[in-house]
Every structure is written in structure tokens, then in C-alpha cells.
Amino acid sequence: MAKITLSNLRHSYYPHPKSADDYALKQIDLDWQDGGAYALLGPSGCGKSTLLNIISGLLTPSEGQVLFDGKDMTHLPPDARNIAQVFQFPVIYDTMTVYDNFAFPLRNRGVSEDRIAERIAEIAEMLEVSDMLQTRAAGLSPDNKQKISMGRALVRDDVNVVMFDEPLTVIDPHLKWKLRSKLKELHQRVRATMIYVTHDQTEALTFADQVVVMQEGEVVQIGTPVELFDRPNHVFVGHFIGSPGMNVVDCELRDGAAFFHGQQVALEGAVREGMTASPQIGIRPEFVSLSDNGISARVRKVADIGRHAIVETRVGEQKISLVVEGETPMQGDEVFLQFQPAQTRLYCDGWLATTQEGAQ
Ligand code: ADP
Ligand code: MG
């Protein structure tokens, strides 16, 4: 196992890239610590698979380096990198039994049949496929085929990293949550570095200790699920994580104070020096409340989702949602909104521009 470093990485699928838009990866500098459980989260097309394929060696980056424990691997082929990769769709040998599918990567490395049997028993039990070991893979359902793909990646205990590229795409919804928690458990048992790629925040947040959020070929934030929820570093992270996502509304900035529809809004702390362009207030629906005074808003929609309701309001043209417990207003009502100051952040050009009170 190894620490993986991506340094000054850029990648374009075009032979002569001209503008930033020609790059699938714009500039990536990233360390993946040995033994970490990572999720790589971002919308379709943001460059997740490109990044994985550069780590595994299926792609050579246009610029920059891939290092394993400081050793340059950038131009080595995949089989010299000792990596296991699981793809969106199952990659297995249909004509072989499940047992032989699992054994294949181990036999390739000259592992003894006794050790192979031991390892397969362990992995098959974890994936709940022990009763299928003698079945031919061709006859399996897509779910089970994908489990076998995962098993083939996990059966080796000497890999530098196990990478999963949206592995639950073909899995039945009711099995998804089960496999997801299984993977988490597997990580805790095998302690290999794992990178789990997904566009689904729930999958990312349940699996990972650290989530790397990508947008348009760039990393916008790396953090624990709690950090991403609490202090999104970019409005994109705020929108993408949370349900509904963070409210982001245009505001005015005068002498370091934020004004929204003429009223001053207390921020979590001071606005960073020099950050003034396109100011916006960001606050999560969980930290907006109804009150007797505050910002006047009109209720547009009320969605009752059990213990609480999501109330969508408009302040002028801008949308603000809030989570309401207890009595909910009606569509069309005028209400007054309060923002919890410690949770009210300022963003400039999309990036977090406030410091926390007491912090630097
Ligand atoms: P993701 O996995 O996040 O959905 P990808 O890494 O597959 O994103 O793609 C990133 C960008 O690179 C997209 O704009 C995509 O269209 C482009 N791209 C991906 N693969 C190729 C390819 N083989 N040739 C040209 N463009 C590609
Ligand atoms: Mg992809």
C-alpha cells in the first residue's frame, strides 16, 4: 500500500488544447493517504473517471505526475502499478465459475491454492456469495456479477489502492444501501486505500472518511462529510451536498457588511481582505427560521416530509428554503425569516469569503 500523490496534473483529450475548457482536468494537486477511505464526488462529466484512469495508468496525463510513495509512476503501465479497479459495469470471465473468477488475480501472482481458498472464503462471506462459488458466472444476475467484480478487486491483499468507479450503477436500489455499508465494513477490515467514485452524495457521505468534491475538472473542496456540510468552501459544494442544498442569494457588500433586500444580515465573521466580487450569502435551510420580524418573504411551496417540512419562499426573485418543525405556513403567506448568524456565510465569485469569529 502506498500514499498516492497527484502533482500539477492536467489532462486534455485534445492533441492541442488551447483554452481551459479543452481540459477534462484543469489543475489537480492531491494526496491520497495510505489506508484512507475516500469518495470522489461530482456531477457527470466533471472528470472523475479521467482522474481514476490516470491513477491506474489506463491514461497518461497531458501534464504533471502520479507518485506512489514519492516514486514517479506517470509512465508505467497499469500492470506495473498494483491497483485494483472496479468499473461501472461488471468485468468478469463468464465461462469461469465464481470461485475461479476470484482465484484468477491470485493465481496470476503465484499465490498458493491453500491461501487462495482461505482468502476466497473470507471475501465470499463478506459479499454473501459463498453459496455461488461453484456457479458459472454467465448465469448470474447483474447484481451478483457486480459483486463478483468487486470480489475480484478485493481478494488481493497487496494492492496499492482499490478504486471503484460508480460501482453500484447496475445494482438494484434495495441492494444498494446494503452493498454500500458492506464496502464501508470491508474498508475497516482490509484497511486498503480505497477511492470510491460517485455522483451521489449519499453514497459518498456514507462510505468516505474524506470526500473530494470535483467540479468541471477541478477539486473544489476536500473534507469530512461534516466539514462539507458545515462550511462549504464553494457554493457548488453547498448546492451539491444537503437536501435541499444551501440557499445562495445575491447580496450587497458595503464596508464589510452584507445587505439583503436593504437589511443588514449578520455574518459568521469578518469578510476576507480583497474579496468583494459578486457577493452572495450562503445559508443552509436548517439554519433559517420563521420569526415575527426579519426578512419579508412569500411562501411558494410547502413539502411535508414527515417530522418536518421544507418551506420554499421567495424574497423578490430570489429563492430561500427553510426547514420548519411544528406548525407550517400556507402557500401564499407572508412570513419573516431569520438567519442564524454563526451559520451565515459570505461567498465571493463562488468562494467562501468569511472567516469564523474567533478563528483566523
Ligand atoms: P465523469 O467520470 O466525472 O463523468 P469523465 O472523466 O468521464 O467524467 O469526463 C470528463 C470530460 O472529459 C467530459 O467532458 C467528457 O466528455 C470528456 N471525455 C471523457 N472521455 C473522453 C474521451 N475518451 N475522449 C474525449 N473526451 C472525453
Ligand atoms: Mg465516470
Side-chain angles (χ1 to χ4, degrees):
M1 279 176 255
K3 170 177 150 183
I4 297 173
T5 305
L6 306 177
S7 167
N8 268 313
L9 211 66
R10 280 157 72 74
H11 188 71
S12 177
Y13 287 100
Y14 301 107
H16 306 291
K18 290 182 184 74
S19 65
D21 288 346
D22 291 346
Y23 284 85
L25 297 178
K26 296 201 172 87
Q27 168 79 32
I28 307 277
D29 290 279
L30 208 55
D31 277 329
W32 310 86
Q33 299 300 337
D34 191 6
Y38 292 95
L40 186 56
L41 174 69
S44 180
C46 74
K48 304 181 296 297
S49 296
T50 304
L51 191 62
L52 278 204
N53 293 340
I54 286 174
I55 295 175
S56 65
L58 294 173
L59 270 179
T60 307
S62 314
E63 294 170 38
Q65 290 178 304
V66 180
L67 309 164
F68 288 6
D69 280 337
K71 192 166 158 255
D72 191 350
M73 307 295 277
T74 320
H75 298 283
L76 293 188
D79 56 5
R81 298 191 184 197
N82 211 7
I83 276 178
Q85 192 168 4
V86 180
F87 299 91
Q88 229 169 337
F89 300 100
V91 180
I92 54 173
Y93 297 105
D94 265 344
T95 54
M96 290 185 191
T97 61
V98 169
Y99 187 95
D100 287 340
N101 264 284
F102 284 157
F104 195 84
L106 299 176
R107 286 181 179 142
N108 258 348
R109 275 169 188 75
V111 178
S112 75
E113 285 298 324
D114 283 353
R115 176 72 188 129
I116 290 176
E118 220 177 290
R119 200 58 196 158
I120 291 179
E122 204 179 330
I123 294 292
E125 190 222 306
M126 283 194 260
L127 290 169
E128 297 176 16
V129 294
S130 307
D131 58 340
M132 297 171 206
L133 288 173
Q134 297 315 321
T135 311
R136 211 180 289 207
L140 299 176
S141 66
D143 285 353
N144 284 328
K145 283 189 178 174
Q146 188 65 331
K147 280 197 193 173
I148 307 313
S149 280
M150 289 187 183
R152 281 164 47 87
L154 294 163
V155 74
R156 289 169 55 196
D157 56 9
D158 62 341
V159 291
N160 284 314
V161 55
V162 187
M163 307 197 291
F164 302 90
D165 195 348
E166 315 226 17
L168 303 184
T169 309
V170 293
I171 306 284
D172 238 36
H174 76 276
L175 259 180
K176 267 189 186 173
W177 70 265
K178 207 168 151 185
L179 269 184
R180 211 160 57 206
S181 39
K182 198 109 252 173
L183 275 178
K184 178 96 197 161
E185 191 187 309
L186 276 166
H187 178 261
Q188 276 153 1
R189 274 168 76 167
V190 304
R191 284 280 153 206
T193 314
M194 292 191 184
I195 304 177
Y196 185 98
V197 167
T198 178
H199 61 269
D200 180 318
Q201 56 160 318
T202 317
E203 279 184 22
L205 301 181
T206 43
F207 172 73
D209 300 329
Q210 290 281 317
V211 181
V212 177
V213 186
M214 279 184 76
Q215 182 206 20
E216 293 178 4
E218 283 179 297
V219 172
V220 286
Q221 189 166 7
I222 304 172
T224 63
V226 171
E227 283 165 352
L228 298 181
F229 182 85
D230 277 356
R231 279 173 63 79
N233 203 25
H234 192 277
V235 290
F236 173 77
V237 179
H239 283 303
F240 204 69
I241 289 173
S243 172
M246 187 172 72
N247 296 297
V248 178
V249 293
D250 296 341
C251 68
E252 274 179 69
L253 199 56
R254 290 200 292 269
D255 297 329
F259 294 83
F260 181 54
H261 278 259
Q263 290 191 38
Q264 186 172 348
V265 174
L267 300 171
E268 60 166 343
V271 178
R272 278 178 229 261
E273 197 83 24
M275 295 194 77
T276 52
S278 315
Q280 290 176 303
I281 287 169
I283 180 156
R284 291 210 174 268
E286 289 81 355
F287 305 118
V288 180
S289 54
L290 298 173
S291 108
D292 297 333
N293 54 56
I295 297 155
S296 162
R298 185 72 61 187
V299 175
R300 270 299 187 83
K301 240 194 258 170
V302 179
D304 200 332
I305 53 168
R307 211 177 304 163
H308 56 259
I310 309 285
V311 176
E312 189 188 306
T313 71
R314 286 284 190 286
V315 178
E317 295 289 292
Q318 306 202 67
K319 183 174 107 178
I320 295 184
S321 297
L322 62 152
V323 175
V324 177
E325 301 194 22
E327 205 182 325
T328 53
M330 307 277 285
Q331 193 178 338
D333 281 357
E334 187 189 14
V335 292
F336 296 97
L337 308 178
Q338 290 278 357
F339 297 168
Q340 204 170 300
Q343 301 294 340
T344 308
R345 325 215 183 280
L346 188 84
Y347 291 86
C348 285
D349 268 344
W351 295 94
L352 183 62
T354 33
T355 54
Q356 264 173 323
E357 207 64 63
Q360 194 285 112

